[in-house]
């Protein structure tokens, strides 16, 4: 009898533990469009902000691999016309851990299957130091600096995550949260979706002379699936108006832990600086994982016979097999670490 009681207690404990474990697993933020449409505007805003805030928290530990294809089209009434050219293809690997990161980029010439240049760059947010390398088929170089490499900016997928470079407002969800007072919400639209409109201000401008309109999917954590940003500035009678138009379409998404992430995106950009063309970026995420990045993953190694420029100390040297200086450590020739080329 006592054995039976013990067995029952053990079974109940195991069952309770299993149920508790399932209950503690994070669940995707989702709401039926009918229920959402019946909420008051303030409650609708809370739902959207909660989903956006979760995305930023989720991106504090993220690893992904992405292919970036650049295309230049003729501008035919704001629609892509004839293909003019292809830009270098990039294959990136990106580790994000809080405010620090490492990004590797293999670069290919158009229509070539083999990479011709390899770039790595890391940023230690606590020390505010970058450490990077660039390698081609004949040479390899390294650099220690406080300046972010443009490789991070060239990877357009970062703007769906979180960061500070080149500017906090470039990151989609950060910018929308910061502009929450300008939210205009419409629902339902487009067969069960939500339209969100906010002010749009590129970071190099003084005022938000424009707006962003996005279609959000409430069943996928309010993931933006389409969007268009228009900005136009009238500097005065002596100069022509400046403008910028950005569009994106998410054709495929994936649930990564409890957050729906876009994994196939097309971006089109038009501007007054090049009115005859449309610059297109096709983004395809081939692998994405959450919660597995460790501090050691962010280290960019210096390899043997690599020429290093330490722009912080103002010196240059060549490395041994451990990445340490071998031979003389020389001052930079121009005497100014700040002006040495990145």
């Amino acid at each position: 009898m006592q054995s039976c009681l013990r067995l029952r207690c053990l079974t109940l404990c195991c069952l309770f533990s299993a149920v508790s474990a399932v209950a503690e697993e994070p669940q995707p933020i989702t709401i039926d469009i009918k229920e959402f449409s019946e909420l008051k505007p303030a409650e609708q805003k809370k739902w959207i902000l909660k989903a956006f805030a979760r995305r930023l928290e989720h991106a504090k530990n993220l690893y992904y691999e992405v292919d970036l294809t650049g295309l230049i089209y003729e501008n035919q009434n704001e629609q892509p016309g004839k293909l003019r050219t292809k830009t270098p293809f990039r294959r990136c690997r990106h580790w994000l851990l809080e405010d620090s990161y490492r990004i590797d980029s293999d670069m290919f010439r158009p229509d070539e299957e083999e990479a011709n240049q390899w770039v790595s760059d890391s940023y230690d947010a606590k020390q505010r130091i970058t450490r990077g390398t660039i390698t081609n088929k004949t040479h390899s170089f390294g650099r220690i600096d406080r300046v972010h490499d443009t490789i991070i900016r060239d990877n357009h997928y970062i703007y769906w995550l979180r960061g500070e470079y080149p500017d906090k407002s470039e990151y989609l969800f950060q910018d929308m949260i910061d502009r929450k007072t300008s939210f205009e919400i419409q629902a339902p639209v487009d067969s069960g979706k939500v339209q969100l409109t906010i002010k749009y201000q590129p970071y190099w401008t003084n005022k938000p002379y424009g707006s962003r309109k996005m279609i959000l999917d409430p069943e996928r954590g309010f993931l933006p699936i389409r969007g268009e940003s228009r900005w136009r500035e009238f500097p005065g009678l002596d100069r022509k108006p400046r403008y910028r138009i950005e569009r994106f379409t998410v054709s495929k998404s994936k649930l990564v832990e409890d957050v729906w992430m876009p994994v196939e995106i097309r971006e089109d950009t038009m501007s007054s600086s090049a009115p005859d063309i449309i610059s297109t970026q096709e983004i395809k995420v081939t692998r994405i994982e959450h919660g597995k990045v460790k501090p050691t993953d962010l280290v960019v190694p210096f390899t043997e016979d690599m020429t290093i420029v330490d722009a912080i100390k103002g010196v240059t040297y060549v490395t041994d097999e451990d990445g340490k200086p071998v031979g003389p450590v020389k001052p930079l020739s121009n005497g100014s670490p700040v002006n040495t080329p990145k």
Side-chain angles (χ1 to χ4, degrees), residues 154-176:
D154 293 339
N155 172 13
H156 285 205
Y157 193 70
I158 66 170
Y159 303 124
W160 290 77
L161 306 172
R162 62 190 297 275
E164 299 289 336
Y165 175 81
D167 191 88
K168 184 181 177 183
S169 65
E170 286 284 271
Y171 294 79
L172 182 62
F173 298 106
Q174 290 181 171
D175 187 54
M176 289 193 289

Side-chain angles (χ1 to χ4, degrees), residues 302-308 317-321 323-326:
F302 290 161
T303 56
E304 189 174 9
D305 293 329
M306 185 174 280
T307 301
I308 306 299
Y317 54 88
V318 177
T319 54
D320 61 16
E321 60 183 7
K324 304 295 183 181
V326 59

Side-chain angles (χ1 to χ4, degrees), residues 173-200:
F173 298 106
Q174 290 181 171
D175 187 54
M176 289 193 289
I177 290 173
D178 287 345
R179 299 188 182 279
K180 60 187 176 183
T181 57
S182 72
F183 274 20
E184 295 179 15
I185 302 168
Q186 290 179 260
V189 299
D190 288 8
S191 302
K193 302 301 187 289
V194 176
Q195 179 175 289
L196 176 65
T197 304
I198 64 169
K199 292 180 180 180
Y200 174 49

